Amino acid sequence: MGSGLEPDQEAMLYSNESTPNMSTTDSNLCNNLQCYMVLSEPEKKAIGPICFLAGPVTFLENILVLVVIASSATLRRRPSYLFISSLALADTFASCFFTISFLDFHLYSKGDIANIYLFKLGGVTMAFTGSVGSLLLTALDRYLCFYQASNYKVLLTRTRAKLAIVLLWCVTIIISFLPLMGWRCKTRLDPPCSRLFPFVDHHYLAFWTGLQLVVLFLITVAYALILWKANRHEAAMGVPKLGRQSIKGQTRMRMDIHLARTFSLILLILAVCWLPVLSIMMVDVMVTLEKIQQRIFAFCSTLCLVNSCVNPLLYALRCRELRGELLALFRCCRENTLGKTHSRRNENNSGKKNKDQTVSDSNPDTISESVENQQNSIQML
């Protein structure tokens, strides 16, 4: 697919990449990628460590969540953890695509042709769109758990959860790569092109930004309804009850209050990380941005990566079952390591044994014996 530019126009675009100033006398027009590389050297030194630190940390956190869920048959069967897996996958993509693209463009001033740049941008858009979409699925899952507790397992089966995730990612991929498929600027980099992203049409930017605002609004509504119900439980705390009903009601109320605090924190982090970026995008659709606004956007965009770094802590590692599976996984790895070490010691101490006997005393038998001993001790208890 072509870049949508005439040959002489595209040649003019890349012939001016080394020029620090705009190649036109009209400040509203932009004919080279230097108009988008707005960070100064001190700003690059300030924003670089954020990406270098948050990128790998985000990747490791989300990979750990995916490994724990994939290794547990119990967690894989539950729709809630399928949605958390989708969120972790999207945030893993974000840690890779955003970090590489941001560093290449803003810190190393690497200019690509239109198709390559739009492919990279599509990867970033796919990651963040999938992340916000997975947050919506998680919010709807918790809404159903609160308001349809008796019918929850009937309404949200594992098959329906998988279909929802597949549909989410199909829609996400299509929307994210629309600029690469042709919805882009037809003129150089002038209006109606965005001043935040090269080759991106204002209409597409308005469409994507509006879609994210709608999704964030639905997430807010879902959690607000949950908070409202939790507050009702808290208000009913003083109503006297008798026997088991009182104990059960107080336990449920404490759980609701704990979840309410978690959801309040989730909404606060969503607002801090996403509203600045989406607000500047909407302003870019309506007016021509100045360089100071472009610089602010570059810094604010790193908050989206921070959100992907925080998501595993909020949605995954706060879950008691997932923490239990994580500890069990670490314990299993430790036992395997100790078993191998014990096997090597036995081999070193058995110098009089022949090669066949050494093979028979290797690690698998040692692990089997340790498992049998553990089972016997459990039976004795």
Side-chain angles (χ1 to χ4, degrees), residues 4-16:
L5 306 175
E6 296 296 331
D8 57 340
Q9 292 175 337
E10 191 162 3
M12 180 184 295
L13 170 65
Y14 292 101
S15 64
N16 292 330

Side-chain angles (χ1 to χ4, degrees), residues 280-294:
I280 298 175
M281 287 183 180
M282 292 304 296
V283 173
D284 180 46
V285 172
M286 296 180 288
V287 300
T288 301
L289 298 182
E290 303 294 335
K291 283 193 174 182
I292 182 63
Q293 296 166 317
Q294 291 175 292

Side-chain angles (χ1 to χ4, degrees), residues 10-260:
E10 191 162 3
M12 180 184 295
L13 170 65
Y14 292 101
S15 64
N16 292 330
E17 285 184 8
S18 60
T19 305
N21 299 321
M22 291 184 294
S23 60
T24 177
T25 58
D26 190 346
S27 61
N28 291 330
L29 301 181
C30 181
N31 292 324
N32 63 80
L33 293 180
Q34 289 294 330
C35 299
Y36 298 86
M37 302 174 184
V38 295
L39 296 180
S40 62
E41 288 301 322
E43 291 169 341
K44 291 180 181 179
K45 293 179 180 179
I47 203 171
I50 299 176
C51 295
F52 281 116
L53 178 62
V57 171
T58 303
F59 179 81
L60 293 176
E61 285 179 343
N62 288 282
I63 285 294
L64 181 62
V65 172
L66 289 173
V67 169
V68 172
I69 296 177
S71 62
S72 172
T74 303
L75 298 184
R76 291 198 307 269
R77 288 195 296 265
R78 298 184 58 180
S80 299
Y81 289 99
L82 293 178
F83 296 147
I84 291 177
S85 298
S86 176
L87 176 62
L89 179 63
D91 289 335
T92 301
F93 288 154
S95 66
C96 299
F97 292 131
F98 177 84
T99 304
I100 294 174
S101 299
F102 189 90
L103 292 177
D104 278 348
F105 191 82
H106 285 290
L107 266 69
Y108 303 124
S109 301
K110 181 180 179 181
D112 297 310
I113 63 174
N115 284 344
I116 295 179
Y117 175 83
L118 291 176
F119 177 79
K120 291 181 178 179
L121 182 63
V124 177
T125 306
M126 179 192 68
F128 286 132
T129 305
S131 179
V132 176
S134 298
L135 290 177
L136 177 60
L137 292 180
T138 303
L140 295 177
D141 169 64
R142 294 179 176 179
Y143 173 84
L144 291 175
C145 185
F146 257 70
Y147 282 85
Q148 300 291 335
S150 59
N151 299 324
Y152 172 75
K153 293 184 178 180
V154 177
L155 293 175
L156 189 59
T157 62
R158 185 184 179 189
T159 301
R160 291 179 179 177
K162 289 182 177 180
L163 289 176
I165 293 173
V166 171
L167 180 62
L168 167 67
W169 280 100
C170 289
V171 174
T172 295
I173 293 173
I174 293 173
I175 291 176
S176 301
F177 289 98
L178 283 176
L180 185 62
M181 292 185 285
W183 192 357
R184 66 178 75 179
C185 294
K186 299 304 180 184
T187 58
R188 302 174 184 174
L189 299 180
D190 305 334
C193 278
S194 168
R195 290 299 295 270
L196 298 175
F197 306 101
F199 313 111
V200 174
D201 186 85
H202 271 166
H203 299 92
Y204 173 79
L205 185 63
F207 163 73
W208 188 84
T209 305
L211 179 63
Q212 300 310 302
L213 288 173
V214 170
V215 173
L216 292 177
F217 174 75
L218 293 176
I219 295 173
T220 304
V221 170
Y223 285 135
L225 291 174
I226 295 174
L227 291 174
W228 176 74
K229 188 171 183 179
N231 288 332
R232 289 184 60 188
H233 286 175
E234 185 177 6
M237 182 177 180
V239 178
K241 294 181 181 180
L242 298 175
R244 294 183 178 178
Q245 184 178 3
S246 176
I247 298 175
K248 184 177 179 180
Q250 291 179 3
T251 303
R252 175 63 183 273
M253 184 199 62
R254 286 194 297 268
M255 292 176 60
D256 291 347
I257 294 174
H258 174 72
L259 290 176

